[in-house]
Amino acid sequence: MGEFDLIARYFHRPAVHAALGGGDDCALLQPAPGMQLAISTDMLVEGRHFLSTVDPARLGHKALAVNLSDLAACGARPLAFTLALSLPQVDTAWLEGFSRGMLALADAHGCELVGGDTTRGPLNICITVFGEVPRGQALLRSGARPGDDLWVSGSLGDARLALEVFRGTLSVPAGVFDAARLRMELPTPRVALGAALRGIATAAIDVSDGLLGDVGHVLAASNAGARIDATAAVALMSAPPGDPSDGADAERRLGFVLAGGDDYELAFTAPPGARDAVAGAAEQAGVRATRIGQIEAAPGIRLTDADGRPVVQRHASFDHFA
Ligand code: ADP
Ligand code: MG
């Protein structure tokens, strides 16, 4: 199968809302009047972002999900995406699964595949998503203010637990692993929550590299610091603890939640007066939102227990070049 047959078979889709879809030199998008385009790119490299053994349909889902998660963090509605794909060979079973997983998530969000590029090389997947958001209403990292609550959607830490089981550093009961593996391989981008938080949240980010690091980006952009309740944070993990008397287990769970990465939840801030509004947005979006701390004027992140006593922390978020 040649390059153009491959594109036609697996990646060409008729345009629905786009003014022009794939097949020409450019695609054309027409944002509605009063809307701004929100654009984000994420690349997935074999061996770095995913295991070579992963099911291709799950990989297709995840490649798009991590990009939709960035739109969610801005409160943008997905419109379209492009796919740049480097493939070592034409493997039709892989292409069928990959495109099916990716396009199912695309259809669920009304996000059209409008073009891309296809080349031979090491397996590498790069997606650019385009979304729209009413002018001036995008959620940014820079809006957090001292006194704001710090919130997190859904659950944290489970994807990292699954990764550690794959790496062989940890073993857990099969049911716990299966659930954690779904969080790692089929993350849920919080698109509806992001949109519902427009006009409510003061700042937002998606948690991809780990809670501490990603909240750190919000704090840097907002010129602020934060206090995080470690007990509330650790309760965000879905996987149940092992032996409750095992201190190493508790410490490891805290590490997964604070610095695990690959969560694709939203961390966001909102004034205490907006608690009911946040709860309403979360309910409307069908996801839990949990308050885990507060923005403070002093820079840095202070980890406390439920009573506000300091907790020593030695966890760092993922950095490709650290
Ligand atoms: P060009 O040489 O003009 O860059 P290409 O030959 O690379 O065009 O691609 C032909 C058409 O197929 C273009 O419209 C491009 O957007 C689309 N396309 C290429 N690869 C992909 C892909 N992986 N997914 C979706 N569309 C693709
Ligand atoms: Mg090209």
Side-chain angles (χ1 to χ4, degrees), residues 31-208:
M35 296 297 217
Q36 291 179 317
L37 275 183
I39 302 165
S40 182
T41 298
D42 257 320
M43 181 155 65
L44 273 76
V45 176
E46 180 171 14
R48 182 146 281 273
H49 299 97
F50 59 91
L51 306 169
S52 56
T53 51
V54 69
D55 171 61
R58 291 188 175 188
L59 181 60
H61 171 106
K62 184 164 179 176
L64 181 59
V66 304
N67 279 278
L68 293 178
S69 180
D70 285 310
L71 290 184
C74 286
R77 189 174 73 85
L79 291 175
F81 69 106
T82 60
L83 168 68
L85 198 56
S86 165
L87 298 169
Q89 74 268 323
V90 177
D91 174 342
T92 54
W94 189 92
L95 280 161
E96 188 280 318
F98 177 81
S99 58
R100 179 166 39 82
M102 184 183 68
L103 295 174
L105 183 67
D107 290 344
H109 288 276
C111 189
E112 296 178 70
L113 177 56
V114 294
D117 198 24
T118 307
T119 172
R120 187 188 291 272
L123 183 55
N124 192 330
I125 305 153
C126 183
I127 288 180
T128 297
V129 278
F130 303 83
E132 65 177 10
V133 60
R135 183 184 300 133
Q137 289 186 34
L139 302 175
L140 306 180
R141 297 178 177 186
S142 52
R145 294 292 169 261
D148 282 356
D149 294 321
L150 175 64
W151 296 81
V152 176
S153 67
S155 62
L156 292 180
D158 297 288
R160 181 57 178 269
L161 179 137
L163 178 63
E164 294 303 324
V165 173
F166 274 116
R167 284 176 170 166
T169 68
L170 185 65
S171 70
V172 296
V176 173
F177 172 63
D178 290 345
R181 179 178 185 173
L182 286 177
R183 291 286 296 145
M184 174 185 168
E185 294 183 346
L186 287 176
T188 307
R190 302 302 184 187
V191 173
L193 179 62
L197 287 172
R198 291 200 301 253
I200 298 173
T202 48
I205 192 167
D206 68 317
V207 181
S208 53

Side-chain angles (χ1 to χ4, degrees), residues 3-4 7 11-12 21-25 83-85 113-118:
E3 175 186 339
F4 298 103
I7 296 166
F11 302 116
H12 182 75
D24 212 306
D25 292 310
L83 168 68
L85 198 56
L113 177 56
V114 294
D117 198 24
T118 307

